[in-house]
Structure formats: structure tokens, C-alpha cells
Amino acid sequence: MAIYHHLEEYAGLPVHRFPYREEGVEDDGDAEALPAPAEVAWYVGTGFEAEPFNDVFARFLEAVDTTQVTTLLIGYWGASYEDDTGDPVAVLTGAAASFPALRSLFLGDIVMEEAEISWIEHSDITPLFTAFPRLERFDVRGAEGLQLSPIRSGALRVLRFESGGLPARIVQAVGASELPNLEHLDLWLGDENYGGDASVADLAPFLGGERLPSLRHLGVEDSRIQDEVAAAVAGAPVVARLESLSLALGVLTDQGAEALLSGQPLTHLRKLDLHHHFLSDAMAARLKAALPGVEVDLGEQQKPDGDWFYIAASE
């Protein structure tokens, strides 16, 4: 999973990590050669016992012609209990004029050794969509403290939330947004013990198809209520126009798979992603047989720990 390793590619570009300085280590003045600004996805973050994120970002602005940067990943910016923790939203919006070409933004390319997914603390990300109105792709990892108001964007095509517990308020805000050209939506609903209190009812604007007319990929993933989601998807009008559907990473059992098989046809799909599942071998075989022209990704079968069925990413 991506939460174990930093991305090496993002939005079709190789990731280049802008270096941060370790605490107490003098700068030797021997700066490395930097790639052309538009040819890579730039990762900017800090580390443990390293310079504050704000300082790293300030050096990035000085060293790179950010007017040409199209793709940006924000990594570890410090833990909430640290006095010098940067607010990445404030830093980004304050520097928006320096990024006129920015089209793709990942807020929180933070791996487990830096912070568990449920420990990544956010603020209100709504200002980012005002500061960068030409964003075509936005990803965010973590949802502790995350806030979002309904947004309006004619540019956004990909929107992804990776979370161990996505609050219902975030799902509802996305559902109330005006995103006429959004083609790809991923929502990791997570576990209620980590803030994931969204219900199937909160998915109604997406499943009904009235809010996102251009949607071609829908992912409702990493959920403890995956069987309920599957049952809702089985009769959802939006499915008829999808090219790919993901119900991966969650607690999908034979009950949910049976609902999919009993619902509307899925043979038009290019891909059905169900990896990390709790299906029996017989049900897995039925799915494959029922969808011969569809790439069905079943990945590795999970085994419950006694009576405990688990999602892929929670804490």
C-alpha cells in the first residue's frame, strides 16, 4: 500500500524529493543539481529532528522556479505537539502566486514510519481550491481535524481521500460540491473508531449520479461497511456510466459480493477492484465467471482474526 512507502510517481511524473536539512548539521554549500521544474513532481517535507517545514518550503521557493512547477507533494510537516509545526494549507495559500502552473497537489505524502494515517492532523483544506482554481488533481492523506466546505471547480478531474476514518462531514461536503468535470473519485471511509462515521446515506449524491455528471471511476474503499456499500452500489444509477469501480481495502464478504452479482450488470466495466477482501474461494470464482471481460482484481484473500474482520488502513 502507498501508506508504507513514499510515492515514486505522481500524476504521471517521477517524484523528486527536495532535500531538508538535519537539525544541527551545517549546510556544506554543495547544493545538488535540481531537475527542470516542470519535468518532475516535487516532494517537499521535513523529518524528525530536522529543520521546520516552513523553512524547507522557503528554501524550495528560492531554489526552484516554481512558476513552472505543475505537480507538488507535501510530505511530513511535523507533529501537532511540536511548537514549530507548519500549517501546510497556510503555507501553500500564502505562496499561491508563485505556482501559476500548479495542476496536481498531494497533501500528506506521509508514510507510517513518520505518522500513522489516523495521526496526520489537518485543518480546513477549502482555501486550497480557491487559491489554486486550476487544480486538476487533489489527493489528501489523513483526516484528523480535516475540514471541507462544498467547493466549485470546473477544472478538477481527480479527487482522492486516503483515510483510516473519513468523517461524514467530508463525504457530505464532496456530495454538495459542484464538480462538473470530475472523472475520478476515491473515498477511504475507514473505521468509526478513527472518525469514519459516514453511512451509505451519505453516498447518495454520488450513487444517484446527479452531482458528478462526468464521473468514470468511483472508489468507496477501506470501509467496515463494505457489504452495505456493495448492496447500495448494486442498484446505483451512476454505475452504468462508470469505467471502473473499486470496493477494495475493506470488509467485503460473500454477502456484499452476492449483492453485486444480483444487482445491475457490471459487464461494461473495464475494471472491478476488490483486493483485500474476505470472500470465499467459491464466491471469488463466481465473480470471475460472471465478469469474463472485466479485469477483476481480487488480490490476496484475507482471513478474519477470530470474529474480527479488519480494513486495510485504520490507525
Side-chain angles (χ1 to χ4, degrees):
M1 286 181 65
I3 61 174
Y4 298 114
H5 307 283
H6 285 292
L7 295 178
E8 296 182 359
E9 180 180 290
Y10 176 61
L13 292 174
V15 174
H16 181 83
R17 294 170 64 84
F18 186 79
Y20 61 80
R21 295 170 180 166
E22 299 287 350
E23 190 176 81
V25 177
E26 294 293 331
D27 180 19
D28 60 12
D30 184 19
E32 65 172 294
L34 297 174
E39 293 182 358
V40 299
W42 291 91
Y43 169 98
V44 184
T46 189
F48 303 128
E49 298 184 352
E51 66 180 317
F53 172 76
N54 290 357
D55 293 351
V56 184
F57 198 84
R59 288 195 299 104
F60 172 65
L61 291 175
E62 292 178 0
V64 176
D65 180 4
T66 58
T67 63
Q68 298 183 49
V69 170
T70 64
T71 308
L72 183 63
L73 301 92
I74 300 300
Y76 182 70
W77 55 81
S80 61
Y81 53 80
E82 297 173 346
D83 293 336
D84 55 3
T85 300
D87 178 355
V89 174
V91 170
L92 286 165
T93 55
S98 299
F99 293 90
L102 191 66
R103 297 293 180 272
S104 299
L105 175 62
F106 193 130
L107 183 62
D109 182 17
I110 297 172
V111 298
M112 289 186 66
E113 66 182 26
E114 296 168 326
E116 300 281 359
I117 193 169
S118 65
W119 298 358
I120 302 171
E121 298 204 8
H122 286 279
S123 59
D124 188 353
I125 60 174
T126 312
L128 291 171
F129 297 95
T130 301
F132 302 101
R134 300 176 72 182
L135 273 183
E136 297 175 1
R137 175 169 182 168
F138 179 78
D139 302 58
V140 59
R141 180 176 297 160
E144 179 66 25
L146 190 68
Q147 299 291 333
L148 177 69
S149 298
I151 58 176
R152 180 175 298 175
S153 171
L156 200 64
R157 284 169 170 74
V158 178
L159 181 60
R160 302 187 63 256
F161 292 85
E162 298 182 0
S163 166
L166 193 63
R169 64 177 183 270
I170 303 298
V171 179
Q172 293 163 3
V174 176
S177 295
E178 297 290 342
L179 303 170
N181 295 309
L182 192 73
E183 300 171 355
H184 184 120
L185 175 65
D186 280 317
L187 302 167
W188 292 19
L189 298 186
D191 189 315
E192 63 181 354
N193 292 317
Y194 297 96
D197 58 352
S199 68
V200 169
D202 296 316
L203 303 174
F206 317 124
L207 300 184
E210 64 271 15
R211 299 298 296 174
L212 303 173
S214 299
L215 199 67
R216 296 296 177 267
H217 167 86
L218 176 62
V220 183
E221 300 141 320
D222 195 47
S223 174
R224 293 196 59 82
I225 59 169
Q226 208 72 66
D227 283 347
E228 295 178 45
V229 172
V233 165
V238 71
V239 173
R241 68 163 184 263
L242 296 181
E243 296 175 359
S244 58
L245 171 67
S246 178
L247 303 178
L249 306 176
V251 181
L252 183 70
T253 72
D254 283 7
Q255 179 181 346
E258 185 68 52
L260 289 175
L261 290 172
S262 301
Q264 63 188 302
L266 301 176
T267 51
H268 66 287
L269 292 176
R270 175 179 52 81
K271 182 175 182 178
L272 176 62
D273 189 353
L274 304 177
H275 80 274
H276 183 100
H277 62 82
F278 294 86
L279 304 181
S280 65
D281 291 340
M283 180 57 74
R286 282 183 61 194
L287 276 169
K288 288 275 192 179
L291 302 170
V294 180
E295 178 187 351
V296 181
D297 183 356
L298 292 172
E300 185 176 343
Q301 183 187 52
Q302 306 299 308
K303 300 293 185 183
D305 183 2
D307 294 331
W308 182 53
F309 292 76
Y310 48 90
I311 60 177
S314 55
E315 183 181 4

